Amino acid sequence: MMLVDTHCHLDASEFDPDREAVVARARAAGVTRQILPGTHADEWPLLREACQLDPGLHAAYGMHPTFLEHHADGHLDVLEAWVRRERPVAIGECGLDHYLEGLDLDAQQRWFDGHLELARDTGLPLIVHARRAVDAVIRSIRRIGSVHGVVHSFAGSEEQARQLHRLGFLIGIGGPVTYERAKRMHRVVAAVPLEQLVLETDAPDQPDSDHRGQRNEPARLPRVCEVVAGLRGMAPGDLAEATTRNACRLFGLAQ
Ligand SMILES: [Zn+2]
């Protein structure tokens, strides 16, 4: 079974003590490739360095909506220069977070619009964070147009998933799907077209139900694959193959 972890913050400080071992455990578990999304401009050099650990690690560069205090005037120009020079597999993490309190919503929207425009101009896919903000993300995508990508850690409705599919967006499914109480997510995951699904861990965050409260890591992706396969009545190997194909298509990786 070969899997792509489409969302892993491997450069996070939680992995400083044992990053190489984390990558080795992932490989041993069949997670041979990982997409590492960026969060803010100061972090991009570290992210690039983390990707040099293994040829299966691929960077995306972007400005996360909950890191507002790290973003400054001019960072979108810096981002454009990085993207044109480094040729990442995607732009992100970017998006909208209407869940955490105290975040400036106008500022979030301005940064997100800048990412959408850069994605439209470069043709690169977007990695989008949409927490309690899926409708606002859909409106933003419609307004800018001609973009594609993935809404990671998707927690929206079937109808929202359908709208995103029509707009060229996949949905990323991770640890939350393993929780018994996630009934709506279970229905969505069973209903969406197979070609819209990719898998992710969002490590070090969002551990599965067997590792509640612990640091998550990419080696746990097979559990997500098994649960999603079960919900769709498929063999895990078939789901792994399909979601790997989807991830490769989205991020331009070799099949
Ligand atoms: Zn993330």
Side-chain angles (χ1 to χ4, degrees):
M1 187 150 94
M2 278 228 299
L3 292 166
V4 181
D5 187 347
T6 60
H7 201 105
C8 177
H9 294 284
L10 188 72
D11 64 307
S13 58
E14 284 90 336
F15 294 117
D16 284 349
D18 61 345
R19 193 168 283 108
E20 286 182 49
V22 168
V23 174
R25 278 198 292 274
R27 273 201 168 274
V31 185
T32 52
R33 289 177 285 188
Q34 302 176 34
I35 308 297
L36 278 47
T39 54
H40 57 290
D42 291 345
E43 168 235 19
W44 300 334
L46 284 172
L47 179 58
R48 179 173 58 185
E49 199 183 307
C51 286
Q52 283 158 7
L53 269 181
D54 187 281
L57 304 177
H58 301 280
Y61 297 110
M63 294 151 67
H64 195 290
T66 67
F67 283 67
L68 288 180
E69 74 278 15
H70 293 273
H71 309 334
D73 285 348
H75 280 186
L76 279 172
D77 295 331
V78 180
L79 176 62
E80 176 163 6
W82 264 82
V83 164
R84 295 198 185 276
R85 188 182 65 236
E86 302 291 331
R87 301 182 165 278
V89 295
I91 291 169
E93 179 166 2
C94 58
L96 301 172
D97 194 311
H98 292 179
Y99 172 73
L100 283 184
E101 281 174 33
L103 293 173
D104 180 340
L105 299 187
D106 292 335
Q108 284 192 31
Q109 188 70 55
R110 280 196 305 277
W111 294 121
F112 185 36
D113 287 351
H115 287 73
L116 286 161
E117 287 165 7
L118 184 57
R120 182 194 58 200
D121 296 347
T122 58
L124 284 168
L126 284 159
I127 297 172
V128 178
H129 170 109
R131 189 151 53 155
R132 299 265 171 92
V134 177
D135 281 334
V137 159
I138 289 172
R139 278 196 299 276
S140 308
I141 291 169
R142 286 212 173 101
R143 184 160 40 77
I144 307 284
S146 300
V147 290
H148 68 297
V150 56
V151 173
H152 108 90
S153 191
F154 182 76
S157 68
E158 273 183 65
E159 175 53 28
Q160 288 169 327
R162 248 192 305 276
Q163 291 180 28
L164 285 166
H165 191 227
R166 278 199 293 269
L167 290 166
F169 277 76
L170 280 61
I171 59 173
I173 301 295
V177 80
T178 62
Y179 286 79
E180 198 52 47
R181 63 171 185 269
K183 297 296 179 201
R184 182 170 82 162
M185 189 177 295
H186 295 167
R187 284 195 302 275
V188 171
V189 159
V192 295
L194 188 55
E195 68 265 22
Q196 196 184 2
L197 278 179
V198 288
L199 306 180
E200 62 170 63
T201 61
D202 199 20
D205 301 324
Q206 307 214 68
D208 61 62
S209 58
D210 290 344
H211 300 89
R212 200 184 294 245
Q214 297 177 32
R215 183 188 74 170
N216 196 9
E217 59 172 81
R220 308 247 174 84
L221 195 60
R223 170 92 201 285
V224 173
C225 179
E226 279 157 26
V227 170
V228 172
L231 289 164
R232 294 184 67 94
M234 293 175 67
D238 293 340
L239 185 83
E241 201 183 306
T243 53
T244 293
R245 199 182 323 118
N246 296 343
C248 289
R249 196 186 329 114
L250 178 63
F251 296 114
L253 309 178
Q255 293 270 351

